[in-house]
Amino acid sequence: MEVLKLFDDISRQEKIDADIKKFRKGEMRIKVVNEKGEPYRNANISLKQRNHEFKFGISLFLLDEMETKEKNERFKQNVSDTFNMGIVPIYWDALEPVRGKPRFSTKSERVYRRPPIDLCIEFCRKFGIEPKAHCLNFDFFTPEWVQTLSAQEHKEALETRMRLLAERYATDIPCWEVINETLIDNGKTPLYYADDVTAWSFDTARKYFSRNELMINENAKNVYPGFAHNRSQYYMQIERELARGTKIDAIGFQAHFMFGEEFRQKYANPIFLDEFFKTYSRFALPLQITEATIPSVFGDVIDEEKQADMLEKMYSYWFSVENMEAIIYWNLTDGYAWQAEPGDMTAGENIWRGGLVDFDGRRKPAYEKFNELIKKTWHTENSGRTDCNGEYSASAFFGEYEINVTIDGKTKTFIVDYCKSQKDSNVILTC
């Protein structure tokens, strides 16, 4: 049976819709008062959602990395129109290929798919996008000059890297992936195989990023195949670190579904995913889909409509998971993925055509479906009048709102954050 059809079951759809309502929405209670705290009756209220509290992310690896100015501007437009989180590449080998000369500045020498951090921060600030850093310790992308060091010397160099990044960006980037893909046997340094590599990485990062969210992340091929509930390798790794006192703030899972039909049939399966997320939710920590790819190549057929259908089903499912706080799509544009030359659709990850827009920047049906989910399906706009107690309520997705209050023909505008943590509190507006 085609696995995507399992999402079409009526009871499954009803559960996803109910859980989205339960975990992503609340009853926003607005009270309008004057400066004396007295309620305003019959005040006109209109509210419009400006942003989601939930993070819908995309990698910024192609920021000013394309062949023409027109394509670069189209990329920026496609990101800023829909996404509220941008992944900033801080891979050590590209950030500091020469020891002591990190590529922070916008004037840094160009490295493909690795735009300077300052450029990413400037872009995010301009469009109100929250940056997220990937990744402090990722052994596979360790600089050559580090690979000749002992494990202790590596730690010293890595701690310096963390300190410099924190001094420059800790206040700009709330969330940092501390360590990534430790379950793949492709280590390039002795530190990768050290028993304390995960604990040391988190403990050291915590020294410099004391107010940031610090998370662990793992590859899709290591978290889905071999899943055995609380006996799963990734689960036991996290459980061990928490037991030894390591403070992990969030858990990340990659979700690249471009590894062929068998992989997709097994692991893009809602029955499997129910047990998977039920198990990892036992930690009572925020969860993130850190790297998602949904192909538009199925077997030997390019099917952009099927990609859009799969995206809608997967995003709706993930959005309904109680502890989920972010879903990050990986490559926005076809033809610029890892291990391939730009535009070569026969090599590397390009072969799966997993972007949401094509090589020329045309928005594929998957992008349009995603945009529809964010701006229409999971979007709140409402209006009405306050009652005799000066109160008005509306079911609303958690996020940032523009609220207009009109009294006696005069309108006052408020920007309000309606957060999940504050869903039981009144929004008091003084006019």
Side-chain angles (χ1 to χ4, degrees):
M1 180 180 182
E2 165 58 54
V3 68
L4 296 183
K5 292 182 179 179
L6 296 174
F7 289 94
D8 294 330
D9 179 77
I10 296 298
S11 60
R12 169 67 61 180
Q13 291 181 350
E14 289 177 346
K15 183 180 188 308
I16 288 174
D17 290 343
D19 286 346
I20 288 175
K21 181 178 181 180
K22 181 177 180 181
F23 302 128
R24 305 291 164 229
K25 301 182 77 174
E27 194 70 16
M28 185 191 294
R29 299 194 300 270
I30 298 170
K31 185 166 185 175
V32 182
V33 299
N34 62 21
E35 293 181 353
K36 296 179 181 180
E38 299 167 339
Y40 273 116
R41 303 175 183 177
N42 295 318
N44 287 310
I45 304 288
S46 69
L47 56 93
K48 181 177 182 180
Q49 188 172 6
R50 290 160 44 112
N51 203 347
H52 272 275
E53 179 180 48
F54 193 93
K55 300 305 177 188
F56 296 100
I58 192 72
S59 71
L60 299 180
F61 297 1
L62 295 181
L63 189 62
D64 283 343
E65 287 291 307
M66 296 182 175
E67 312 89 78
T68 67
K69 180 179 179 180
E70 290 74 20
K71 291 184 76 170
N72 283 326
E73 292 305 310
R74 198 172 300 137
F75 175 84
K76 295 172 187 177
Q77 188 72 50
N78 286 331
V79 171
S80 60
D81 273 359
T82 303
F83 298 93
N84 63 0
M85 174 176 273
I87 306 308
V88 180
I90 59 167
Y91 298 96
W92 197 0
D93 62 342
L95 187 62
E96 194 180 1
V98 178
R99 189 170 193 173
K101 297 182 179 181
R103 296 175 50 255
F104 294 145
S105 168
T106 57
K107 297 179 181 179
S108 299
E109 182 179 355
R110 183 179 180 274
V111 176
Y112 178 54
R113 296 184 83 245
R114 301 293 185 261
I117 300 178
D118 283 359
L119 182 68
C120 295
I121 297 299
E122 288 178 8
F123 173 77
C124 287
R125 188 177 293 126
K126 179 178 179 179
F127 291 101
I129 294 170
E130 180 178 307
K132 176 191 170 186
H134 169 81
C135 172
L136 285 171
N137 185 8
F138 189 177
D139 196 89
F140 188 78
F141 291 102
T142 301
E144 291 185 4
W145 61 265
V146 174
Q147 296 174 32
T148 62
L149 304 178
S150 68
Q152 181 56 41
E153 292 170 330
H154 185 164
K155 284 182 177 181
E156 293 169 2
L158 185 52
E159 181 165 1
T160 298
R161 161 176 159 83
M162 292 184 185
R163 176 177 58 79
L164 292 175
L165 284 167
E167 289 173 352
R168 193 173 180 110
Y169 301 110
T171 57
D172 291 314
I173 305 178
C175 180
W176 295 72
E177 289 179 11
V178 172
I179 196 164
N180 185 47
E181 297 186 5
T182 61
L183 302 182
I184 303 176
D185 190 17
N186 60 7
K188 294 184 176 180
T189 73
L191 181 59
Y192 179 84
Y193 298 100
D195 290 342
D196 68 339
V197 62
T198 301
W200 179 89
S201 296
F202 272 93
D203 290 346
T204 305
R206 189 72 59 185
K207 288 169 58 176
Y208 301 104
F209 299 92
S210 60
R211 297 183 179 180
N212 299 81
E213 182 179 39
L214 301 180
M215 63 180 296
I216 191 169
N217 190 39
E218 191 50 66
N219 184 284
K221 288 186 176 180
N222 289 321
V223 296
Y224 303 128
F227 171 70
H229 301 271
N230 67 350
R231 300 174 301 284
S232 304
Q233 190 176 7
Y234 191 37
Y235 185 97
M236 291 191 292
Q237 179 191 22
I238 296 167
E239 184 178 49
R240 179 188 65 188
E241 295 305 330
L242 294 175
R244 74 202 302 182
T246 304
K247 189 174 184 299
I248 298 173
D249 297 325
I251 301 170
F253 311 91
Q254 296 176 24
H256 297 297
F257 288 113
M258 70 256 190
F259 300 124
E261 290 297 301
E262 183 178 358
F263 188 91
R264 182 174 62 84
Q265 291 292 327
K266 286 183 177 180
Y267 307 119
N269 184 322
I271 299 171
F272 168 82
L273 293 172
D274 285 347
E275 290 302 311
F276 182 85
F277 287 114
K278 178 181 176 181
T279 297
Y280 282 94
S281 292
R282 295 176 188 174
F283 290 119
L285 291 172
L287 309 177
Q288 293 189 18
I289 300 298
T290 53
E291 303 177 25
T293 301
I294 296 174
S296 55
V297 174
F298 299 88
D300 296 325
V301 178
I302 298 174
D303 191 336
E304 292 185 353
E305 294 295 339
K306 188 171 182 178
Q307 181 194 31
D309 180 51
M310 185 174 177
L311 180 140
E312 180 179 23
K313 288 176 166 60
M314 296 307 302
Y315 264 72
S316 297
Y317 183 94
W318 290 326
F319 193 51
S320 76
V321 175
E322 180 177 6
N323 286 4
M324 197 69 69
E325 66 174 7
I327 305 167
I328 296 151
Y329 206 83
W330 204 233
N331 293 305
L332 178 65
T333 309
D334 281 343
Y336 296 93
W338 190 46
Q339 291 186 318
E341 292 297 316
D344 181 358
M345 307 307 292
T346 67
E349 295 178 359
N350 280 353
I351 65 174
W352 300 105
R353 298 176 186 263
L356 302 182
V357 303
D358 70 10
F359 185 67
D360 295 319
R362 172 187 61 88
R363 295 180 175 184
K364 295 160 66 175
Y367 183 100
E368 300 296 356
K369 175 56 65 176
F370 177 66
N371 198 41
E372 178 184 335
L373 289 173
I374 303 303
K375 294 187 176 181
K376 294 182 179 179
T377 307
W378 301 331
H379 179 79
T380 301
E381 291 188 35
N382 219 321
S383 62
R385 290 176 176 269
T386 57
D387 61 18
C388 61
N389 297 311
E391 296 178 351
Y392 169 80
S393 65
S395 178
F397 285 97
F398 301 118
E400 183 184 77
Y401 283 82
E402 177 183 301
I403 302 177
N404 290 303
V405 180
T406 303
I407 301 171
D408 297 330
K410 296 181 179 179
T411 300
K412 188 172 183 179
T413 300
F414 300 84
I415 304 300
V416 172
D417 286 322
Y418 178 52
C419 302
K420 186 175 183 178
S421 61
Q422 301 170 330
K423 67 176 182 177
D424 296 324
S425 303
N426 288 331
V427 176
I428 307 297
L429 304 179
T430 303
C431 292

